[in-house]
């Protein structure tokens, strides 16, 4: 089997398992406990926090461990918006892009339904990018928060986050970015990006499912969603997942250690794969930005097919991929990301996404490209 669905999840790296193992066995203490086992766990948690902070270029106190990207997005969008509204009731609007992950979009809609917020949606161009001009056109004195993802999970388009964050900052508006897909592939220096909050998920990096991080810039007020013992500086109550935090810190360290090298290597292989698919499959359409895209994502539409049928045929040939976001799996509706980019619904439903981790091999791309040609031809021969 060739696994080309790394944007959905990745296998846990051996080095990550080894780092986590002591905190799943002998050093299993609760970091809030005042005894030897608890202190050992607290030290491990502090070490993981310091490691993540160093990798992000921020202070340890600005790192909040969560259960994953979805919780980090919810905490950022709801928490910052509600804290701003509490301080000034006139701040009752949030801005998101038209291609956000459901964790961000549904958080904004929750604020709309239950807290009286208005939601402004920034359009994207045909490549899936938001321009600073389009964002500025929607910012108002009442805007409490802007949330625009760093890199899209379906088409791989990378947003000009530093420019977008600067546009919001000039008006004193906090800026959050969902960096779940970007982490490990593009720089995440918090000072260079200028974002006030950044979400990361461990299982996209070779850490287990169930661990994530939210960076929140020091002076940014945030209302907690989980209440209880006041862990994570009061931002996220609940006994911390020490092993998960250690695993995420290890995975992020490994990813960033060879980031530039792996980005170049995988991007070159991805480009060869894209060219082989576009030249080998009549009518194939590459989706996403042709240049500003993750090295790890190549997504296509194959008009005249059903994307799900192509996926089934590819799996029969030993290639595992997806039609887009794993969070939308099972839906018959066309991808909102692709329709926002201007694709007709019938074309959007032919989408297939190939996504890779750093373990992908050159021969995997050649095998996958041949499988794509055969799968699309087979599906078209059967009438879609």
């Amino acid at each position: 089997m060739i696994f080309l669905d790394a944007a959905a999840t990745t296998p846990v790296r051996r080095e990550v398992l080894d780092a986590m193992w002591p905190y799943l066995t002998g050093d299993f203490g609760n970091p809030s406990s005042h005894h030897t086992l608890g202190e050992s766990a607290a030290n491990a948690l502090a070490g993981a926090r310091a490691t993540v902070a160093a990798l992000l270029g921020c202070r340890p106190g600005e790192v909040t461990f969560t259960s994953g990207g979805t919780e980090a997005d919810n905490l950022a969008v709801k928490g910052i918006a509600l804290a701003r509204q509490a301080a000034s009731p006139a701040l009752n609007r949030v801005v998101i892009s038209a291609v956000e992950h459901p964790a961000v979009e549904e958080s904004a809609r929750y604020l709309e339904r239950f807290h009286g917020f208005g939601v402004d949606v920034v359009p994207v161009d045909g490549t899936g990018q938001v321009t600073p001009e389009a964002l500025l056109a929607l910012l108002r004195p009442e805007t409490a928060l802007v949330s625009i993802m760093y890199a899209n999970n379906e088409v791989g388009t990378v947003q000009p986050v530093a420019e977008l964050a600067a546009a919001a900052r000039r008006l004193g508006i906090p800026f959050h970015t969902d960096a779940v897909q970007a982490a490990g592939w593009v720089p995440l220096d918090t000072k260079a990006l200028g974002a006030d909050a950044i979400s990361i998920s461990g299982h996209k990096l070779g850490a287990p499912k169930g661990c994530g991080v939210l960076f929140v810039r020091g002076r940014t007020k945030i209302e907690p969603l989980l209440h209880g013992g006041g862990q994570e500086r009061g931002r996220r109550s609940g006994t911390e997942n020490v092993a998960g935090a250690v695993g995420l810190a290890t995975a992020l360290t490994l990813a960033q250690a060879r980031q530039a090298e792996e980005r170049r290597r995988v991007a070159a292989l991805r480009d060869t794969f894209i060219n082989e698919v576009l030249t080998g499959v009549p009518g194939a359409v590459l989706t996403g930005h042709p240049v500003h895209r993750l090295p790890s994502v190549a997504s296509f539409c194959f008009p005249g097919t059903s994307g799900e049928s192509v996926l089934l045929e590819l799996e029969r040939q030993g290639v595992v991929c997806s039609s887009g976001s794993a969070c939308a799996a099972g839906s018959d509706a066309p991808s909102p990301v692709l329709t926002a980019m201007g694709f007709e619904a019938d074309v959007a439903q032919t989408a297939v996404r190939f996504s890779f981790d750093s373990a992908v091999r050159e021969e995997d791309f050649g095998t996958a490209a041949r499988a794509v040609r055969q799968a699309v031809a087979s599906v078209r021969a059967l009438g879609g």
Side-chain angles (χ1 to χ4, degrees):
M1 182 186 74
I2 298 175
F3 182 74
L4 300 182
D5 197 20
T9 195
T10 59
V12 179
R13 298 181 62 155
R14 180 62 198 224
E15 303 96 322
V16 171
L17 284 173
D18 289 343
M20 293 175 63
W21 186 248
Y23 306 102
L24 295 168
T25 53
D27 286 333
F28 58 85
N30 185 323
S32 296
S33 296
H34 297 291
H35 49 58
T36 303
L37 277 176
E39 290 174 2
S40 178
N43 289 336
L45 185 66
R49 197 184 310 279
T51 296
V52 172
L55 293 169
L56 299 182
C58 67
R59 298 191 301 272
E62 296 175 317
V63 172
T64 297
F65 287 111
T66 69
S67 64
T70 291
E71 186 190 343
D73 283 344
N74 273 256
L75 178 55
V77 175
K78 297 174 184 175
I80 295 173
L82 290 173
R84 297 259 290 164
Q85 186 189 54
S88 176
L91 295 172
N92 62 1
R93 302 197 72 84
V94 293
V95 175
I96 62 174
S97 83
V99 294
E100 291 303 310
H101 188 277
V104 166
E105 182 182 5
E106 290 303 314
S107 292
R109 297 303 176 189
Y110 165 85
L111 292 171
E112 182 179 52
R113 290 194 304 273
F114 296 105
H115 294 277
F117 278 78
V119 179
D120 297 311
V121 180
V122 190
V124 295
D125 62 21
T127 71
Q129 271 200 331
V130 172
T131 66
E133 293 75 20
L135 173 60
L136 282 168
L138 288 181
L139 299 183
R140 317 181 188 186
E142 313 94 78
T143 303
L145 174 72
V146 174
S147 181
I148 297 176
M149 68 189 342
Y150 197 165
N152 186 261
N153 53 306
E154 292 189 36
V155 300
T157 294
V158 176
Q159 302 290 351
V161 167
E163 295 177 56
L164 298 172
R169 186 168 58 250
R170 285 195 295 271
L171 297 176
I173 302 169
F175 185 95
H176 163 253
T177 189
D178 174 343
V180 166
Q181 294 297 332
W185 291 110
V186 294
L188 286 179
D189 183 273
T190 57
K191 295 180 180 64
L193 287 176
D196 299 288
I198 300 174
S199 303
I200 299 173
S201 179
H203 76 104
K204 314 291 184 168
L205 293 163
K209 301 170 186 67
C211 56
V213 158
L214 178 66
F215 157 77
V216 182
R217 199 172 296 282
R219 294 183 180 180
T220 304
K221 302 295 184 184
I222 190 164
E223 178 67 26
L225 306 185
L226 299 177
H227 302 90
Q231 291 89 344
E232 297 298 295
R233 291 177 172 250
R235 290 177 178 150
R236 199 267 187 190
S237 290
T239 302
E240 297 95 338
N241 177 2
V242 177
V246 169
L248 190 150
T250 304
L252 192 59
T253 299
L254 293 169
Q256 297 208 171
R258 299 184 61 191
Q259 184 182 98
E261 175 186 344
E262 285 302 302
R263 183 168 64 241
R264 287 191 296 269
R265 183 184 75 86
V266 175
L269 294 172
R270 175 210 62 197
D271 289 344
T272 299
F273 174 70
I274 288 172
N275 289 334
E276 290 188 17
V277 171
L278 293 178
T279 57
V281 180
V285 179
L286 177 69
T287 62
H289 200 285
V291 177
H292 301 297
R293 65 185 304 124
L294 290 175
S296 55
V297 175
S299 180
F300 305 89
C301 285
F302 300 114
T305 72
S306 156
E308 293 297 328
S309 297
V310 173
L311 288 177
L312 291 172
E313 182 61 23
L314 283 171
E315 187 166 5
R316 192 183 69 80
Q317 296 185 42
V319 177
V320 175
C321 50
S322 71
S323 57
S325 173
C327 296
S331 172
D332 292 330
S335 161
V337 170
L338 293 177
T339 54
M341 291 166 58
F343 286 86
E344 296 294 334
D346 58 339
V347 175
Q349 288 179 315
T350 72
V352 178
R353 180 191 67 186
F354 303 87
S355 52
F356 335 110
D357 63 14
S358 59
V360 69
R361 304 170 301 173
E362 183 174 357
E363 55 265 36
D364 293 339
F365 286 94
T367 301
R370 290 190 294 274
V372 171
R373 290 196 296 269
Q374 295 168 10
V376 174
S378 296
V379 171
R380 284 176 173 167
L382 293 171

